Coordinates of all heavy atoms in Angstrom, one line a residue:
A1325 N 37.0 11.9 -17.2 CA 36.6 13.3 -17.0 C 35.2 13.5 -17.6 O 34.4 14.2 -17.0 CB 37.6 14.3 -17.6
L1326 N 35.0 13.0 -18.7 CA 33.7 13.3 -19.4 C 32.5 12.6 -18.7 O 31.4 13.1 -18.6 CB 33.8 12.9 -20.9 CG 34.9 13.5 -21.6 CD1 35.0 12.9 -23.0 CD2 34.8 15.0 -21.7
Q1327 N 32.8 11.4 -18.2 CA 31.7 10.7 -17.5 C 31.4 11.5 -16.2 O 30.2 11.6 -15.8 CB 32.3 9.3 -17.1 CG 31.3 8.5 -16.2 CD 30.1 8.1 -16.9 OE1 30.1 7.5 -17.9 NE2 28.9 8.2 -16.2
K1328 N 32.5 12.0 -15.5 CA 32.2 12.7 -14.3 C 31.5 14.0 -14.5 O 30.6 14.4 -13.7 CB 33.6 13.0 -13.6 CG 34.4 11.8 -13.2 CD 33.9 11.1 -12.0 CE 34.7 9.9 -11.6 NZ 36.1 10.0 -11.5
L1329 N 31.7 14.6 -15.6 CA 31.0 15.9 -15.9 C 29.5 15.6 -16.1 O 28.7 16.3 -15.6 CB 31.6 16.5 -17.2 CG 32.8 17.4 -17.0 CD1 33.4 17.7 -18.4 CD2 32.4 18.7 -16.4
A1330 N 29.2 14.5 -16.8 CA 27.8 14.1 -17.0 C 27.1 13.8 -15.7 O 26.0 14.1 -15.5 CB 27.8 12.9 -17.9
E1331 N 27.9 13.3 -14.7 CA 27.3 12.9 -13.5 C 27.0 14.1 -12.5 O 26.4 13.9 -11.5 CB 28.2 11.9 -12.8 CG 28.2 10.5 -13.4 CD 29.3 9.6 -12.8 OE1 30.0 10.1 -12.0 OE2 29.3 8.4 -13.3
L1332 N 27.4 15.2 -12.9 CA 27.2 16.4 -12.1 C 25.7 16.8 -12.1 O 25.2 17.5 -11.2 CB 28.0 17.6 -12.6 CG 29.4 17.7 -12.2 CD1 30.1 18.9 -12.9 CD2 29.6 17.8 -10.7
L1333 N 25.0 16.4 -13.1 CA 23.6 16.7 -13.2 C 22.7 15.7 -12.6 O 23.0 14.5 -12.7 CB 23.2 16.9 -14.7 CG 24.0 17.9 -15.5 CD1 23.6 18.0 -16.9 CD2 23.9 19.3 -14.8
P1334 N 21.6 16.1 -12.0 CA 20.7 15.1 -11.3 C 19.9 14.3 -12.3 O 19.8 14.6 -13.5 CB 19.7 16.0 -10.5 CG 19.7 17.3 -11.3 CD 21.1 17.4 -11.8
E1335 N 19.5 13.1 -11.9 CA 18.8 12.2 -12.8 C 17.3 12.7 -13.0 O 16.8 12.5 -14.1 CB 18.8 10.8 -12.2 CG 20.1 10.1 -12.2 CD 20.0 8.6 -11.8 OE1 19.0 8.0 -12.1 OE2 20.9 8.1 -11.3
T1336 N 16.7 13.2 -11.9 CA 15.3 13.7 -12.0 C 15.2 15.1 -11.6 O 16.1 15.6 -10.8 CB 14.4 12.8 -11.2 OG1 14.8 12.9 -9.8 CG2 14.4 11.4 -11.6
V1337 N 14.2 15.8 -12.1 CA 14.0 17.2 -11.8 C 12.5 17.4 -11.5 O 11.6 16.6 -11.8 CB 14.4 18.1 -13.0 CG1 15.9 18.0 -13.2 CG2 13.6 17.8 -14.2
K1338 N 12.2 18.5 -10.9 CA 10.8 18.9 -10.6 C 10.4 20.0 -11.6 O 10.9 21.1 -11.7 CB 10.7 19.5 -9.2 CG 11.1 18.6 -8.0 CD 10.0 17.5 -7.9 CE 10.3 16.6 -6.7 NZ 9.3 15.5 -6.5
R1339 N 9.4 19.6 -12.4 CA 8.9 20.5 -13.4 C 7.5 21.0 -13.0 O 6.7 20.3 -12.5 CB 8.7 19.8 -14.8 CG 8.2 20.7 -15.9 CD 8.4 20.0 -17.3 NE 7.5 18.8 -17.4 CZ 7.6 18.1 -18.5 NH1 8.4 18.3 -19.5 NH2 6.8 17.0 -18.6
L1340 N 7.3 22.3 -13.3 CA 6.0 23.0 -12.9 C 5.0 22.7 -14.0 O 5.3 22.9 -15.2 CB 6.2 24.5 -12.7 CG 6.8 24.9 -11.4 CD1 7.1 26.4 -11.4 CD2 5.9 24.6 -10.2
K1341 N 3.8 22.3 -13.6 CA 2.7 22.1 -14.6 C 1.9 23.4 -14.7 O 2.1 24.3 -13.9 CB 1.8 20.9 -14.1 CG 2.6 19.6 -14.0 CD 1.8 18.6 -13.2 CE 0.7 18.0 -14.1 NZ 0.0 16.9 -13.3
K1342 N 1.1 23.5 -15.6 CA 0.3 24.7 -15.9 C -0.6 25.1 -14.7 O -0.8 26.2 -14.5 CB -0.5 24.5 -17.1 CG 0.3 24.5 -18.4 CD -0.6 24.4 -19.7 CE 0.2 24.4 -20.9 NZ -0.6 24.4 -22.2
D1343 N -1.0 24.1 -13.9 CA -1.9 24.4 -12.8 C -1.1 24.7 -11.5 O -1.6 24.9 -10.5 CB -2.8 23.2 -12.5 CG -2.0 21.9 -12.2 OD1 -0.7 22.0 -12.1 OD2 -2.6 20.9 -12.0
G1344 N 0.2 24.8 -11.7 CA 1.1 25.2 -10.5 C 1.6 24.1 -9.7 O 2.5 24.3 -8.9
S1345 N 1.2 22.9 -10.0 CA 1.7 21.7 -9.3 C 3.0 21.2 -9.8 O 3.4 21.7 -10.9 CB 0.7 20.6 -9.3 OG 0.4 20.2 -10.6
E1346 N 3.7 20.4 -9.1 CA 5.0 19.9 -9.5 C 4.9 18.4 -10.0 O 4.1 17.7 -9.5 CB 6.0 20.0 -8.4 CG 6.3 21.4 -7.9 CD 7.2 21.4 -6.7 OE1 7.8 20.4 -6.4 OE2 7.3 22.5 -6.1
E1347 N 5.7 18.0 -10.9 CA 5.9 16.6 -11.3 C 7.3 16.3 -11.5 O 8.2 17.1 -11.9 CB 5.1 16.4 -12.7 CG 5.7 17.2 -13.8 CD 5.0 16.9 -15.1 OE1 4.3 15.8 -15.2 OE2 5.1 17.7 -16.1
S1348 N 7.6 15.1 -11.1 CA 9.0 14.6 -11.2 C 9.2 13.9 -12.6 O 8.4 13.1 -13.0 CB 9.3 13.5 -10.1 OG 9.4 14.2 -8.9
I1349 N 10.2 14.4 -13.3 CA 10.5 13.8 -14.6 C 12.0 13.6 -14.7 O 12.8 14.1 -14.0 CB 10.1 14.8 -15.8 CG1 10.8 16.1 -15.7 CG2 8.6 15.0 -15.7 CD1 10.6 17.0 -16.9
S1350 N 12.4 12.7 -15.7 CA 13.8 12.5 -16.0 C 14.4 13.7 -16.6 O 13.7 14.4 -17.4 CB 13.9 11.2 -16.9 OG 15.2 11.1 -17.4
L1351 N 15.7 13.9 -16.4 CA 16.3 15.0 -17.0 C 16.3 15.0 -18.5 O 16.2 16.1 -19.2 CB 17.8 15.1 -16.6 CG 18.6 16.2 -17.0 CD1 18.1 17.6 -16.5 CD2 20.1 16.1 -16.6
K1352 N 16.3 13.8 -19.1 CA 16.2 13.7 -20.6 C 14.9 14.2 -21.2 O 14.8 14.5 -22.3 CB 16.6 12.3 -21.0 CG 15.5 11.3 -20.6 CD 16.0 9.9 -21.1 CE 15.0 8.8 -20.7 NZ 15.4 7.5 -21.0
E1353 N 13.9 14.3 -20.3 CA 12.6 14.8 -20.8 C 12.4 16.3 -20.7 O 11.4 16.8 -21.2 CB 11.5 14.2 -19.9 CG 11.4 12.6 -20.0 CD 10.3 12.1 -19.1 OE1 9.1 12.4 -19.3 OE2 10.7 11.3 -18.1
V1354 N 13.4 17.0 -20.2 CA 13.4 18.4 -20.1 C 13.6 19.1 -21.4 O 14.5 18.7 -22.2 CB 14.5 18.9 -19.1 CG1 14.5 20.5 -19.1 CG2 14.1 18.4 -17.7
N1355 N 12.8 20.1 -21.7 CA 12.9 20.8 -23.0 C 13.1 22.3 -22.7 O 12.8 22.8 -21.6 CB 11.6 20.6 -23.8 CG 11.3 19.2 -24.2 OD1 12.2 18.5 -24.7 ND2 10.1 18.7 -23.9
E1356 N 13.6 23.0 -23.7 CA 13.7 24.4 -23.6 C 12.4 25.1 -23.3 O 11.4 24.7 -23.9 CB 14.3 25.0 -24.9 CG 15.7 24.5 -25.2 CD 16.1 24.9 -26.6 OE1 15.6 25.9 -27.1 OE2 16.9 24.1 -27.2
G1357 N 12.4 26.0 -22.4 CA 11.1 26.7 -22.1 C 10.4 26.1 -20.9 O 9.4 26.7 -20.4
D1358 N 10.8 24.9 -20.4 CA 10.1 24.3 -19.3 C 10.5 25.1 -18.0 O 11.6 25.7 -17.9 CB 10.6 22.8 -19.1 CG 10.0 21.9 -20.0 OD1 9.0 22.3 -20.7 OD2 10.4 20.7 -20.1
D1359 N 9.6 25.1 -17.1 CA 9.8 25.7 -15.8 C 10.1 24.7 -14.7 O 9.3 23.7 -14.5 CB 8.6 26.6 -15.3 CG 8.3 27.8 -16.3 OD1 9.3 28.2 -16.9 OD2 7.2 28.3 -16.3
L1360 N 11.2 24.8 -14.1 CA 11.7 23.9 -13.1 C 11.8 24.5 -11.7 O 12.0 25.7 -11.6 CB 13.0 23.2 -13.5 CG 13.2 22.7 -14.9 CD1 14.6 22.2 -15.1 CD2 12.1 21.6 -15.1
V1361 N 11.7 23.6 -10.7 CA 11.8 24.1 -9.3 C 13.1 23.5 -8.8 O 13.4 22.3 -8.9 CB 10.7 23.6 -8.4 CG1 10.9 24.0 -6.9 CG2 9.3 24.1 -8.9
V1362 N 14.0 24.4 -8.2 CA 15.3 24.0 -7.7 C 15.3 24.4 -6.2 O 15.3 25.6 -5.9 CB 16.4 24.6 -8.4 CG1 17.8 24.0 -7.9 CG2 16.3 24.4 -9.9
R1363 N 15.4 23.5 -5.3 CA 15.3 23.8 -3.9 C 16.7 24.0 -3.3 O 17.7 23.7 -3.9 CB 14.6 22.6 -3.1 CG 13.1 22.6 -3.4 CD 12.4 21.6 -2.6 NE 11.0 21.8 -2.7 CZ 10.2 21.4 -3.7 NH1 10.8 20.7 -4.7 NH2 8.9 21.6 -3.7

């Protein structure tokens, strides 16, 4: 169950940079306050 819960989250996400462009990063690199794009 715990493994399956962890797998609900994607491996990579789209983070918004200050200039408005997007960058792909690993989920483990996400920090509080980051702006992400979810399609």
Side-chain angles (χ1 to χ4, degrees):
L1326 304 176
Q1327 173 73 45
K1328 298 281 177 58
L1329 276 166
E1331 291 172 354
L1332 281 177
L1333 303 178
E1335 289 189 32
T1336 59
V1337 298
K1338 297 289 185 182
R1339 182 167 64 185
L1340 281 174
K1341 299 166 74 175
K1342 290 183 179 180
D1343 60 5
S1345 61
E1346 298 177 12
E1347 61 175 343
S1348 291
I1349 62 170
S1350 169
L1351 183 60
K1352 66 183 178 182
E1353 298 178 59
V1354 173
N1355 298 311
E1356 296 166 32
D1358 284 351
D1359 294 338
L1360 308 179
V1361 177
V1362 186
R1363 292 186 166 80

